């Protein structure tokens, strides 16, 4: 019983951590690249990046199958290189969670970068700092509230992902059975006690993360 209860929690935390790292790296890089630039087509690019936030998760899962499925060019390439498909694996769960978490990280990091005083960055450049030093030691600290908010929200979003994970990674006990999918199976089988235990666990974790965000914003 204890192992049955803990396994989805462990998988959810591992998947969310890996997905969060991917979302943080890509979201922060994209936000830094686009935040203070205006060019033709920027609105279209940002709209595409934000789509996973508003599309039904099952639609996101469908697109992931089309992109990474065994019949796709990317899917066949990955299978040839790693001798294994992506779909219905632990990495599929990570990719699904990262895709839905990315928009939150991008939007939060972008807000943080837009709030940075450009004159301070220019002053650091005048003092001889190269672009990497300016970014790491000036821009990131000044945008830290937005970046930290994005990290927490993207992790929380990845932790609660259900539809895209169900479509793209399936519900494989010990591999891709996260807490949301485990709750679905528990309710479907009538095991309400176990479902309540998982619901309480993920609700407490999500509450603590959101409370941290609210606390940091004050």
């Amino acid at each position: 019983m204890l192992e049955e209860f803990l396994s989805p929690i462990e998988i959810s935390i591992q998947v969310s951590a890996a997905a969060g790292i991917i979302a943080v790296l890509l979201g922060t890089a994209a936000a830094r690249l686009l935040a203070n630039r205006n060019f033709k087509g920027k609105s279209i690019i940002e709209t595409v990046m934000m789509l996973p936030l508003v599309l039904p998760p099952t639609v996101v899962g469908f697109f992931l199958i089309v992109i990474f499925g065994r019949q796709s060019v990317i899917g066949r390439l990955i299978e040839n290189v790693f001798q294994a498909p992506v779909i219905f694996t632990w990495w599929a769960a990570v990719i699904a969670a990262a895709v839905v978490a990315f928009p939150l990280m991008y939007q939060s990091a972008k807000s943080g970068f837009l709030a940075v005083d450009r004159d301070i960055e220019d002053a650091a450049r005048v003092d001889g700092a190269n672009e990497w030093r300016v970014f790491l030691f000036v821009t990131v600290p000044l945008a830290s509230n937005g970046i930290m908010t994005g990290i927490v929200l993207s992790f929380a979003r990845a932790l609660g992902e259900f539809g895209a994970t169900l479509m793209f990674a399936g519900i494989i006990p010990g591999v891709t059975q996260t807490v949301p999918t485990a709750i679905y199976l528990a309710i479907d089988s009538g095991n309400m006690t176990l479902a309540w235990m998982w619901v309480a666990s993920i609700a407490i974790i999500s509450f603590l993360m959101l409370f941290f965000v609210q606390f940091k914003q004050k």
Side-chain angles (χ1 to χ4, degrees):
M1 176 68 174
L2 182 60
E3 183 177 352
E4 183 183 7
F5 168 69
L6 291 178
S7 177
I9 295 177
E10 292 174 357
I11 292 172
S12 286
I13 292 175
Q14 292 168 1
V15 167
S16 299
I21 291 172
I22 294 172
V24 167
L25 293 176
L26 296 181
T28 302
R32 177 57 178 169
L33 183 65
L34 299 177
N36 293 300
R37 287 181 172 86
N38 291 308
F39 54 89
K40 189 175 182 179
K42 178 182 177 180
S43 296
I44 295 176
I45 294 173
E46 288 191 308
T47 299
V48 171
M49 290 194 298
M50 296 301 292
L51 269 179
L53 195 62
V54 297
L55 283 176
T58 50
V59 174
V60 176
F62 174 81
F63 280 126
L64 289 175
I65 291 174
V66 171
I67 295 170
F68 294 101
R70 304 186 74 168
Q71 303 304 316
S72 71
V73 175
I74 296 176
R76 287 197 299 268
L77 177 63
I78 293 174
E79 188 167 356
N80 289 335
V81 172
F82 297 100
Q83 300 301 309
V86 175
I87 192 170
F88 300 127
T89 64
W90 183 84
W91 280 107
V94 172
I95 292 171
V99 168
V100 298
F102 172 85
L104 290 173
M105 185 65 224
Y106 170 76
Q107 196 62 38
S108 297
K110 178 185 173 184
S111 297
F113 289 136
L114 287 175
V116 174
D117 189 339
R118 302 297 296 277
D119 291 338
I120 299 177
E121 292 179 315
D122 291 338
R125 294 186 183 96
V126 170
D127 287 340
N130 59 35
E131 288 302 318
W132 272 109
R133 290 184 64 85
V134 172
F135 177 71
L136 292 176
F137 298 106
V138 178
T139 308
V140 170
L142 291 175
S144 60
N145 282 341
I147 294 173
M148 184 59 65
T149 298
I151 291 173
V152 175
L153 291 180
S154 60
F155 181 84
R157 181 64 186 88
L159 188 67
E161 170 49 35
F162 172 73
T165 301
L166 180 65
M167 291 279 292
F168 187 50
I171 309 176
I172 306 172
V175 181
T176 64
Q177 189 182 51
T178 59
V179 171
T181 57
I183 293 171
Y184 170 78
L185 288 181
I187 295 174
D188 188 57
S189 64
N191 194 341
M192 296 303 294
T193 300
L194 197 54
W196 268 113
M197 291 170 64
W198 281 321
V199 167
S201 299
I202 199 168
I204 290 171
I205 295 172
S206 299
F207 173 84
L208 291 174
M209 289 189 295
L210 292 177
F211 180 80
F212 175 77
V213 170
Q214 295 297 325
F215 178 79
K216 287 292 292 182
Q217 289 179 341
K218 289 184 178 180

